[in-house]
Amino acid sequence: MTLRLRFTLFTVFWLIFILILYNVFVYYFVIKVTTRGELQLLSSKADLVMETLRKNEMAGIDDAALLKDMYNVNEMMRIVTPDSRVVNSVGVDKQLLALPKEVRTVSHSDTIKVDGHRVLTWSVPIYDNHRLVGQIDSARYLTALDGYLQILLGALSVTSVGAIIFAILGTYWFTSRLTGPIGQMVQTMREIDRSGKLQRVKMGREESVELQQLIRAFNQMIDRLDRTIERQKQFVADASHELKTPLTVIGSYADMLKRWGRDDVTVRDEAIEAIARETERLKKLTLSMLTLAEAEQDDWLNKSRFDIVSIVNDLSGVLRATFLRHIRVHSGSGTVQMVGDKDKIRQMILIFLDNAIKYSKEPIDVRIRSEKNTVRIEVTDYGIGISENEIPYLFERFYRVDEARHRATGGSGLGLSIAKRIIDLHGGTVEVFSKPGSGTTIAIALPYK
């Protein structure tokens, strides 16, 4: 069942249910109000008779003139004694006059059926010095009222049918406009599946806010997929290019070994050293690409609470002993606590420190401080620096500021991309401040949690 048909049926069924309740309420409310008016009329006539009898001190109860002025063509009035004997009556309708005579001690009203017509009855006891002496019975046909109720019932039926037809047409038209953009999105998805080309859904001004949000979200998803596919293509192209160079070198030296390496020791040693160097580079490149692939997963982080100052101190000690470089750690307090993935934060700081060591010879400064709900880390080197137009591309995969410098340092161009991904997954930000010849400062801001 389509959404349009389901929504139309749901709306129509609810409308029918509400109309039935409304019509029943109106019908019985009108019956109650009008019947109350008819009963009030009979009650008023009975009160006039009682008042006349009181004035005459209960004399003339069998006087025909007593009820004559109360006569109406569709009514009947009579006075009945306690022994059910009619002593006075007015009316010409035999069926009303033949109604059962039942004397009660209290007033009583009822609506009965006489020959298929509704009849309203009203009985009032007559007391003389607290002694029951008779009862005034009144009866009145509700034929005119029933005629009005038939007209009301017809009007309610016609208006209800009209409302249902209007609801069906209006709901179908509304759902057509409602599901139109959804159908367009489905058609776009099918076209994307058929052609393999990403397409956006055009958004008109007449759509509702929710539909505009849906279309906008769909288009944003398409844009993101487009960017992701482009990045994947670029990554594959860059990775192929990066892998091609060491594989070519290894293949060339392996071929050289086959030809001259068996007899020439110099050629053999050179080839073995080159193959080992390129193999190591290939291993690092493959490891970096695997790390980037893992970083795309949502559960890559394993968060815990730790002291980031102790991590930087440990790293500075290891790098100082390995590269014989002086790394100065500045922190306002002894410890700075944060919540995050301890190993990934350590890897991120190591990447920035490794770059600082590669591209500078002066001591390196690392500053750590806490600001409100943020931990700030600044890594500053006093090396060759980076030109301003290169800074926006630093964290792109395989991007290098200088190819010659890259060959000298042996980098893969993926380290900064991995560091940026770690920062993003922790909800942090990174800024680069640098000038050629004046060094570089990497400023990282990470939330406490």
Side-chain angles (χ1 to χ4, degrees):
M1 185 182 294
T2 63
L3 178 62
R4 178 186 303 176
L5 181 58
R6 186 179 303 175
F7 189 81
T8 302
L9 292 177
F10 176 80
T11 304
V12 171
F13 286 156
W14 265 108
L15 180 61
I16 292 174
F17 177 73
I18 293 172
L19 285 175
I20 290 175
L21 293 180
Y22 174 76
N23 291 342
V24 169
F25 170 77
V26 170
Y27 185 77
Y28 284 102
F29 179 77
V30 171
I31 289 178
K32 185 176 181 180
V33 171
T34 53
T35 304
R36 183 183 300 173
E38 298 290 328
L39 183 62
Q40 185 64 35
L41 179 62
L42 294 180
S43 176
S44 299
K45 291 183 178 182
D47 290 342
L48 289 175
V49 173
M50 291 287 294
E51 185 67 22
T52 304
L53 289 175
R54 289 192 187 97
K55 289 180 179 180
N56 298 332
E57 298 180 352
M58 295 300 169
I61 195 171
D62 55 352
D63 186 4
L66 180 63
L67 303 178
K68 185 177 181 180
D69 294 337
M70 309 298 174
Y71 173 71
N72 192 295
V73 69
N74 62 341
E75 293 179 0
M76 177 276 296
M77 289 188 71
R78 67 189 177 188
I79 297 177
V80 184
T81 60
D83 58 356
S84 300
R85 184 170 55 87
V86 178
V87 296
N88 198 350
S89 66
V90 61
V92 295
D93 192 287
K94 296 179 179 180
Q95 292 177 329
L96 293 181
L97 293 173
L99 291 176
K101 298 176 280 293
E102 183 180 355
V103 180
R104 296 182 175 87
T105 58
V106 295
S107 301
H108 176 74
S109 66
D110 195 9
T111 303
I112 61 176
K113 283 279 188 176
V114 175
D115 195 21
H117 301 286
R118 287 196 311 142
V119 174
L120 178 64
T121 63
W122 174 247
S123 302
V124 180
I126 304 172
Y127 286 95
D128 184 14
N129 294 325
H130 304 289
R131 182 174 63 88
L132 182 65
V133 298
Q135 175 178 280
I136 302 175
D137 287 344
S138 304
R140 179 182 177 89
Y141 279 112
L142 298 178
T143 308
L145 177 59
D146 290 342
Y148 295 143
L149 291 177
Q150 290 296 326
I151 296 174
L152 175 63
L153 185 62
L156 291 176
S157 301
V158 171
T159 54
S160 299
V161 171
I164 292 172
I165 294 175
F166 178 78
I168 293 174
L169 297 177
T171 305
Y172 191 82
W173 174 81
F174 176 75
T175 52
S176 298
R177 294 177 59 86
L178 180 66
T179 58
I182 299 177
Q184 186 180 358
M185 292 175 63
V186 172
Q187 184 64 30
T188 302
M189 292 177 186
R190 290 175 178 172
E191 183 63 25
I192 291 173
D193 181 61
R194 186 189 63 81
S195 63
K197 296 180 180 179
L198 297 179
Q199 300 180 21
R200 293 166 57 91
V201 176
K202 296 181 180 179
M203 182 168 57
R205 297 180 179 178
E206 65 276 3
E207 279 84 7
S208 63
V209 175
E210 292 79 9
L211 282 176
Q212 290 180 357
Q213 292 175 350
L214 178 62
I215 296 173
R216 191 177 294 112
F218 178 82
N219 290 336
Q220 289 174 352
M221 180 190 68
I222 292 297
D223 292 339
R224 183 176 179 182
L225 287 174
D226 193 21
R227 291 194 299 268
T228 301
I229 292 173
E230 289 299 322
R231 285 199 301 267
Q232 288 178 347
K233 291 180 179 179
Q234 186 64 37
F235 180 78
V236 171
D238 293 339
S240 301
H241 177 74
E242 292 296 325
L243 292 172
K244 180 180 178 181
T245 301
L247 290 175
T248 301
V249 172
I250 292 172
S252 299
Y253 276 99
D255 186 62
M256 190 184 342
L257 279 174
K258 289 181 181 180
R259 294 183 180 182
W260 303 292
R262 297 176 182 177
D263 302 324
D264 193 333
V265 178
T266 304
V267 172
R268 183 176 60 207
D269 292 343
E270 179 184 354
I272 292 174
E273 182 180 353
I275 290 173
R277 184 176 63 251
E278 294 300 325
T279 301
E280 184 65 23
R281 178 185 170 192
L282 193 60
K283 287 170 58 179
K284 291 181 180 180
L285 179 60
T286 304
L287 181 62
S288 297
M289 289 191 295
L290 289 175
T291 302
L292 273 178
E294 292 176 357
E296 297 298 330
Q297 301 177 5
D298 295 333
D299 57 348
W300 191 51
L301 299 183
N302 184 18
K303 294 184 178 181
S304 61
R305 189 174 184 83
F306 59 90
D307 176 23
I308 194 168
V309 176
S310 63
I311 291 178
V312 177
N313 285 329
D314 292 343
L315 278 176
S316 63
V318 172
L319 295 176
R320 187 183 299 114
T322 304
F323 297 101
L324 302 177
R325 294 289 301 276
H326 187 42
I327 301 175
R328 298 174 295 206
V329 180
H330 309 274
S331 60
S333 58
T335 62
V336 175
Q337 298 288 329
M338 69 168 292
V339 175
D341 191 315
K342 182 178 179 180
D343 294 333
K344 301 302 186 298
I345 294 295
R346 178 187 177 92
Q347 182 182 7
M348 178 264 295
I349 296 174
L350 177 60
I351 290 171
F352 289 127
L353 288 177
D354 183 62
N355 275 2
I357 291 172
K358 288 178 181 178
Y359 302 124
S360 69
K361 297 181 179 180
E362 300 295 328
I364 299 168
D365 289 319
V366 181
R367 296 176 177 85
I368 306 172
R369 64 181 184 274
S370 59
E371 297 179 353
K372 296 182 179 179
N373 296 323
T374 304
V375 175
R376 293 191 63 87
I377 307 168
E378 295 180 357
V379 179
T380 303
D381 68 71
Y382 305 95
I384 59 178
I386 307 168
S387 61
E388 186 176 354
N389 60 339
E390 302 283 353
I391 291 177
Y393 308 101
L394 279 182
F395 298 101
E396 292 185 1
R397 298 173 181 178
F398 299 109
Y399 181 80
R400 302 175 199 85
V401 176
D402 186 351
E403 287 288 342
R405 184 171 67 178
H406 162 65
R407 287 192 295 270
T409 57
S412 64
L414 293 176
L416 291 179
S417 298
I418 296 173
K420 181 65 165 58
R421 180 61 179 167
I422 294 173
I423 295 171
D424 291 340
L425 289 177
H426 282 82
T429 59
V430 59
E431 295 180 282
V432 180
F433 305 94
S434 181
K435 288 184 179 181
S438 301
T440 302
T441 296
I442 305 292
I444 306 143
L446 297 172
Y448 275 123
K449 298 182 180 180

